[in-house]
Amino acid sequence: MSSATKVLDPAFQGVGQKVGTEIWRIEDFQPVPLPRPDYGKFYMGDSYIILQTTQGKGSAYLYDIHFWIGKDTSQDEAGTAAIKTVELDASLGGRAVQHREIQGHESDKFLSYFKPCIIPLEGGVASGFKKPEEEEFETRLYVCRGKRVVRIKQVPFARSSLNHDDVFILDTQNKIYQFNGANSNIQERAKALEVIQLLKEKYHEGKCDVAIVDDGKLDTESDSGEFWVLFGGFAPIGKKIISEDDIVPETIPAQLYSIADGEAKPVEGELSKSLLENYKCYLLDCGAEVFVWVGRVTQVEERKAACQAAEEFLTSQKRPKSTRITRIIQGYETHSFKSNFDSWPSGSATTGADEGRGKVAALLKQQGMGVKGVTKTTSVVEEIPPLLEGGGKMEVWQINGSAKTPLPKEDIGKFYSGDCYIVLYTYHSSERKEDYYLCCWFGKDSTEEDQRMAIRLANTMFNSLKGRPVQGRIFDGKEPPQFIVLFHPMVVLKGGLSSGYKKLIADKGLPDETYTAESVAFIRISGTSTHNNKVVQVDAVAALLNSTECFVLQSGSAVFTWHGNQCSLEQQQLAAKVAEFLRPGVALKLAKEGTETSTFWFALGGKQSYNNKKVTNDIVRDPHLFTFSFNRGKLQVEEVYNFSQDDLLTEDILILDTHAEVFVWIGQCVDPKEKQNAFEIAQKYIDKAASLEGLSPHVPLYKVTEGNEPCFFTTYFSWDHTKAMVPGNSFQKKVTLLFGIGHPVEIITCGGDDSGREFPLRVWCYWRIRV
C-alpha cells in the first residue's frame, strides 16, 4: 500500500486535542483505548502506547509518546507498539518526542505521569488475566528505588531478598511493613511511604496498620517481632546481589551516526548542530541513552526504519536492556539532547517552530496522514504576577569603592547605568512575621569591581539576617515585576556617581554623560502597568520615538511629556509622575504626537521618522525544575518532570527556570559548604542554558532557602504552607504528613541552617504507626 493511501487507525481518531494522558493497549496487534479507570495499571504480558499532551502559553500542543514493553510481552506485540507509535505521531503532525519504555527501566518522565509509581501486574490480555479485585490477597515483597519517581519491583518473599542498601515494602493482608536498609537513601525511604499509602488505598480499602522497621535494630515491640517472624525469625541478612536489572548503562562521550539503508554509520568531525541535515535521520549514542534525530522532511517509512536501526544498534553493541531510546523531530529537540552539544545556535539553519509545523503538516498531508493539532494556538492574556506585600520598608545603598552609601528617600528609585546598588525591602506577609527581599542591581555600564563589592556586601547582610532573605541578582534592563513594583517610579538614568565609574570613563577617554537637572535628557516610558513599566534614559534623538509609548524630554528649564497616539492612560500618568520625580515642581509642556513644536524637535536634533509598532514582549515558556551534578568538573542537569512541591527535597539544591527568571532553591539539610556555592552553581546553569536554550545571560537570579519561599516562587507550585513548616529530613517530613506523629527512639542531628536551627538527619531505629 502506498503512503499516499494510508488510513489513520480508528483508535487514533481525534486524539491529542486536550491536555492530559491517553493510553492504548496492544490487543491482537491493534491499539485499543484503555478505560480511564485502568490508567496506571500495566500488565507484564502486554505492550502499551501512552500519549501525553501539554500546552505552553501561547504555543501549540506539544506531544510525548511512550510505548511501554512489559517483560513478558511477545516480540511481535512490542514491534506493533513501536510501529503504531510512529503512526500516531504522524497523525499529530510528526513532531512528538517518542520514548521506548522497558518494564523496570522506565524514564523519569514516563513515571512522573503516574506518581508515586506504577506496580506492574502479572499476566496480560492474551492470558485472560484476572482483575486485581478478583484475585485472592497474596503477601508480596517489593524493592523501592528512586528519590522523586519510584521504580517498584516485586522480589521473592524471602529473607535472601533483603539487603542493607535498599528500601523494601512487605504487603501483608493486615499490615504493611517498610524495611529500611542501613545504607538506604533517606529520600527513597520517604518515597516508599507514598507507595505504602498507595497500596493501602488500592488493596486495603484505606484500612490497615503500617509499621517501619530499621535494618539491624531488633526491637521488643510486637510489630518489629512480627516482621521478622514472617521471614522465619530474626537473622543477619546478606549483601546486595547485583542482577541485570541493577546494571546502569555508562554515560559516554556522545557519538553521532548517520542512518542510511537501515544502518548506523559514524559521522566524522566535532559534534555540531550543523552536521544534522533536515532530509536525514541520525543516531546520537550517549551510552545510557540513544537518541534518534529525525530531519523534518524525512518520510514516515524512513522514520520507522530509523527506530528499528536504533534497536539493532543496541543489540550489536550488546548494551543492557535498560538503555533508553528517544526519538526527536528536528525543531523539537529536548534539553537532554541539546546538552550533548557545546552550543545550539539559533538562526537560519533550522526553521522556527511555527514554520517547521507548517512544513511537517504539508509533508504528512502529501503522504495521506491526517494531521491533528498542528496549528492549535491560544491568545496570550497578560496576567498580573504575584507581587510582594506593599507598605514595607525600603532601603537602597549605592556602591562606592568598598563602601555602600544609603540613598536619601527622595532619590530611591533613581538608578544610574554606571553604578551598582543593594536593595533591601522588609515586609510582613500573612504567613510569617517578617520577610526580606535583598537584591543587587548591576548597571549595564558598571565596573566588575563594583559588582563584586555589591555581592560581597549583600552576602554580609544576608548572613546578618540569619539567611532568611530571598537574595537576588538583577541586571539593568532585565528587572522582574516584583522588583519594579517596589519603586514609585523606577528610572534608569545614564552615567554614574561612583568613583569606579568615573575612573572607568576617564581611563577610556569617554565623555561623562551622567544625568543632571541641567542636561538634555530623553526618557522612554514603556509598559502598561506598575509591575512592568520600564523607564529608561535613551539617546536624545527623534528616531527613538514610538507611537505606542510616552516620553519625557528635559531641555534646560523646559520639560515636555510626549504622548504617542497609541499609548495608554497608565503610561501618560506615569510620564507625569516621572517628570515630577526628576524635576519636582517644574511646569510640564504636553506634546501630543502630531502637535509637537519646533522647540521640541530642536532639542532632539531635528524631526525624523520613527516606529509606530508595539515592541514585542519576551517569549513566555513553561517553567522547568532541574537537579544537577558535576561530572569531571562539567555541570550536568536532569529535569524533574511534572514537578510539585514534594520534589523540593530538604537535602537538595534545585534550579527552577521560568525563562523570565532563575531560582536556586536550597533545602535546610544541605551541607553548609554547598549552600555557599549556590549562586555559582546557578550561574553555571545560566551559562549553559544561554548557549543551548537561548536563555538571557542577564536573567534575574534568585536564591531561595527552604521555609522562606516568596509568593513569586510558590506560584509555580500548588503550594501548601503546612508542608513547608514540617521540620526534619525528607523521611521525617513524609511520616508526619502521611501518618501523623510517630515515636522516635534515636535522634542524630545533621547541623542546621544559618539561623542556628538544627534539623535531624536520622531519627529512628523503629516507628510504630497506627492508622
Side-chain angles (χ1 to χ4, degrees):
M1 182 181 293
S2 68
S3 61
T5 58
K6 286 183 179 172
V7 178
L8 177 66
D9 194 300
F12 297 146
Q13 291 285 354
V15 303
Q17 295 304 291
K18 59 183 179 180
V19 171
T21 307
E22 297 172 83
I23 303 178
W24 298 262
R25 181 170 54 218
I26 302 301
E27 299 181 13
D28 295 325
F29 307 109
Q30 294 297 324
V32 176
L34 198 67
R36 195 158 290 273
D38 289 340
Y39 281 21
K41 296 178 183 177
F42 292 88
Y43 287 88
M44 302 179 190
D46 289 333
S47 296
Y48 297 78
I49 296 174
I50 299 90
L51 170 64
Q52 185 71 16
T53 304
T54 58
Q55 184 176 27
K57 294 181 180 179
S59 67
Y61 286 134
L62 302 176
Y63 303 108
D64 284 273
I65 305 176
H66 307 254
F67 60 102
W68 186 88
I69 309 300
K71 71 179 182 66
D72 299 325
T73 192
S74 70
Q75 190 170 350
D76 289 342
E77 280 195 352
T80 300
I83 291 170
K84 290 296 181 180
T85 292
V86 176
E87 293 180 8
L88 172 59
D89 176 32
S91 74
L92 295 169
R95 65 187 191 275
V97 179
Q98 295 179 22
H99 314 259
R100 184 189 70 162
E101 307 287 354
I102 303 297
Q103 179 185 335
H105 305 284
E106 297 88 352
S107 66
D108 286 1
K109 188 164 195 172
F110 174 81
L111 291 174
S112 73
Y113 308 147
F114 307 102
K115 289 183 177 178
C117 68
I118 63 171
I119 302 177
L121 303 171
E122 296 283 350
V125 65
S127 61
F129 57 80
K130 292 183 179 180
K131 295 183 178 180
E133 55 268 25
E134 297 173 348
E135 298 177 354
E136 291 186 10
F137 190 91
E138 177 186 346
T139 297
R140 290 183 170 92
L141 182 65
Y142 301 97
V143 61
C144 303
R145 293 169 185 152
K147 292 166 55 175
R148 290 182 173 81
V149 292
V150 185
R151 290 168 179 81
I152 295 295
K153 178 183 177 184
Q154 185 176 348
V155 294
F157 174 31
R159 183 190 289 109
S160 58
S161 295
L162 302 174
N163 62 61
H164 302 294
D165 298 312
D166 291 319
V167 178
F168 295 84
I169 294 175
L170 179 63
D171 186 14
T172 71
Q173 188 155 15
N174 299 316
K175 190 175 296 184
I176 304 175
Y177 300 86
Q178 176 170 326
F179 176 81
N180 297 327
N183 303 324
S184 62
N185 185 286
I186 285 176
Q187 295 165 337
E188 289 186 332
R189 298 181 188 186
K191 294 304 288 188
L193 288 170
E194 294 184 19
V195 177
I196 287 176
Q197 187 75 353
L198 174 67
L199 293 172
K200 176 184 168 186
E201 298 296 331
K202 195 169 186 178
Y203 298 119
H204 299 270
E205 299 181 344
K207 300 174 183 178
C208 70
D209 287 342
V210 176
I212 301 174
V213 180
D214 266 281
D215 179 11
K217 306 290 175 60
L218 178 63
D219 197 276
T220 56
E221 292 280 356
S222 60
D223 287 339
S224 178
E226 285 175 3
F227 174 81
W228 288 111
V229 165
L230 293 169
F231 288 92
F234 180 81
I237 58 177
K239 293 183 178 180
K240 182 176 181 177
I241 300 174
I242 302 298
S243 67
E244 184 183 357
D245 289 342
D246 296 314
I247 299 175
V248 178
E250 182 182 358
T251 299
I252 62 174
Q255 171 64 52
L256 186 67
Y257 295 81
S258 175
I259 300 176
D261 299 325
E263 292 186 14
K265 300 178 181 178
V267 177
E268 301 297 330
E270 187 176 342
L271 191 59
S272 168
K273 178 185 176 184
S274 62
L275 295 174
L276 305 173
E277 300 182 72
N278 62 8
Y279 59 92
K280 290 185 178 179
C281 297
Y282 295 85
L283 184 150
L284 184 67
D285 180 17
C286 303
E289 184 169 16
V290 168
F291 295 93
V292 176
W293 184 92
V294 177
R296 65 179 179 274
V297 295
T298 53
Q299 303 294 315
V300 171
E301 293 305 319
E302 290 180 81
R303 301 179 184 196
K304 291 181 181 179
C307 294
Q308 182 61 36
E311 298 271 5
E312 294 172 358
F313 175 83
L314 293 185
T315 301
S316 67
Q317 297 287 318
K318 297 182 180 179
R319 295 290 175 81
K321 62 182 181 181
S322 57
T323 305
R324 297 192 302 276
I325 297 178
T326 303
R327 197 226 66 170
I328 295 170
I329 188 71
Q330 181 182 4
Y332 295 88
E333 294 85 357
T334 62
H335 179 90
S336 57
F337 176 82
K338 291 189 285 188
S339 65
N340 294 287
F341 297 75
D342 287 335
S343 65
W344 192 264
S346 58
S348 58
T350 302
T351 60
D354 290 332
E355 183 183 353
R357 279 196 295 273
K359 290 188 176 181
V360 168
L363 175 68
L364 293 170
K365 188 174 181 179
Q366 291 174 4
Q367 298 178 32
M369 307 300 293
V371 180
K372 302 291 182 181
V374 170
T375 57
K376 177 72 177 180
T377 58
T378 57
S379 59
V380 179
V381 178
E382 183 184 356
E383 298 178 358
I384 298 177
L387 303 172
L388 299 177
E389 297 281 343
K393 178 184 178 182
M394 171 62 75
E395 298 171 272
V396 182
W397 295 265
Q398 178 210 346
I399 302 303
N400 194 6
S402 61
K404 63 182 194 293
T405 304
L407 293 187
K409 186 176 181 180
E410 62 271 17
D411 285 339
I412 290 179
K414 293 180 185 176
F415 292 83
Y416 288 87
S417 64
D419 291 340
C420 295
Y421 298 82
I422 295 175
V423 174
L424 176 62
Y425 181 65
T426 306
Y427 63 102
H428 296 270
S429 67
S430 56
E431 290 80 24
R432 293 183 292 272
K433 182 179 180 181
E434 206 164 47
D435 284 297
Y436 305 95
Y437 178 78
L438 174 65
C439 288
C440 294
W441 184 90
F442 306 124
K444 63 182 177 64
D445 301 319
S446 61
T447 66
E448 290 185 9
E449 291 81 1
D450 283 353
Q451 293 179 17
R452 285 195 294 266
M453 183 54 64
I455 291 171
R456 188 181 308 162
L457 295 174
N459 286 341
T460 301
M461 296 174 65
F462 176 83
N463 292 332
S464 69
L465 293 169
K466 307 296 185 183
R468 288 189 57 201
V470 173
Q471 192 175 3
R473 295 181 183 178
I474 310 298
F475 290 88
D476 184 354
K478 288 291 183 180
E479 296 84 2
Q482 61 272 9
F483 185 85
I484 294 172
V485 78
L486 297 177
F487 302 94
H488 309 285
M490 176 188 170
V491 184
V492 179
L493 302 169
K494 286 190 173 188
L497 305 177
S498 70
S499 57
Y501 174 76
K502 300 295 186 186
K503 183 178 184 301
L504 175 65
I505 61 171
D507 291 344
K508 292 185 175 181
L510 300 174
D512 190 349
E513 297 183 314
T514 301
Y515 169 86
T516 66
E518 293 75 32
S519 59
V520 174
F522 197 37
I523 297 164
R524 171 193 286 145
I525 289 92
S526 56
T528 57
S529 305
T530 56
H531 66 272
N532 68 8
N533 60 67
K534 297 292 178 76
V535 183
V536 182
Q537 183 180 355
V538 296
D539 292 338
V541 292
L544 294 180
L545 290 168
N546 188 303
S547 300
T548 66
E549 297 173 336
C550 290
F551 287 79
V552 172
L553 174 62
Q554 171 187 292
S555 178
S557 60
V559 178
F560 298 86
T561 57
W562 183 88
H563 296 170
N565 288 333
Q566 300 174 47
C567 72
S568 66
L569 176 61
E570 289 81 7
Q571 287 172 313
Q572 296 175 24
Q573 294 171 339
L574 181 59
K577 193 172 185 178
V578 168
E580 177 64 22
F581 178 52
L582 296 176
R583 297 290 300 276
V586 173
L588 302 181
K589 299 180 180 180
L590 175 61
K592 293 184 178 180
E593 184 175 9
T595 66
E596 303 88 348
T597 64
S598 58
T599 306
F600 177 87
W601 292 122
F602 180 79
L604 293 177
K607 188 175 182 179
Q608 299 181 52
S609 60
Y610 54 84
N611 199 354
N612 61 3
K613 295 181 180 179
K614 187 175 182 179
V615 178
T616 57
N617 293 325
D618 291 340
I619 297 172
V620 177
R621 297 183 183 175
D622 286 339
H624 297 272
L625 186 68
F626 297 96
T627 63
F628 64 90
S629 61
F630 287 94
N631 184 12
R632 298 172 185 171
K634 187 177 181 181
L635 178 70
Q636 295 183 327
V637 297
E638 292 187 10
E639 185 163 359
V640 179
Y641 298 102
N642 297 307
F643 63 84
S644 69
Q645 184 181 354
D646 289 339
D647 291 308
L648 301 175
L649 302 180
T650 188
E651 298 84 10
D652 285 354
I653 297 177
L654 296 105
I655 293 171
L656 176 66
D657 179 1
T658 74
H659 199 72
E661 62 255 307
V662 170
F663 300 88
V664 54
W665 180 91
I666 307 171
Q668 293 286 11
C669 283
V670 169
D671 182 271
K673 291 182 180 179
E674 291 186 26
K675 290 182 181 181
Q676 294 176 2
N677 297 326
F679 266 127
E680 287 65 30
I681 292 167
Q683 188 59 54
K684 286 182 182 293
Y685 166 80
I686 291 173
D687 295 341
K688 189 177 184 73
S691 64
L692 297 178
E693 304 288 349
L695 184 69
S696 169
H698 292 149
V699 64
L701 172 59
Y702 288 109
K703 180 171 75 173
V704 177
T705 56
E706 182 181 7
N708 300 301
E709 294 88 352
C711 59
F712 56 91
F713 174 84
T714 60
T715 188
Y716 296 103
F717 303 81
S718 296
W719 197 260
D720 183 346
H721 286 282
T722 59
K723 287 184 178 181
M725 296 173 65
V726 176
N729 61 42
S730 295
F731 184 46
Q732 292 174 317
K733 289 174 183 285
K734 194 62 67 176
V735 168
T736 302
L737 290 169
L738 290 181
F739 304 113
I741 300 173
H743 305 282
V745 175
E746 178 185 9
I747 299 178
I748 304 172
T749 63
C750 69
D753 67 0
D754 297 297
S755 65
R757 292 178 291 178
E758 287 194 334
F759 294 88
L761 178 62
R762 292 189 56 200
V763 172
W764 22 65
C765 304
Y766 168 70
W767 281 61
R768 180 172 64 184
I769 305 164
R770 295 289 188 184
V771 287

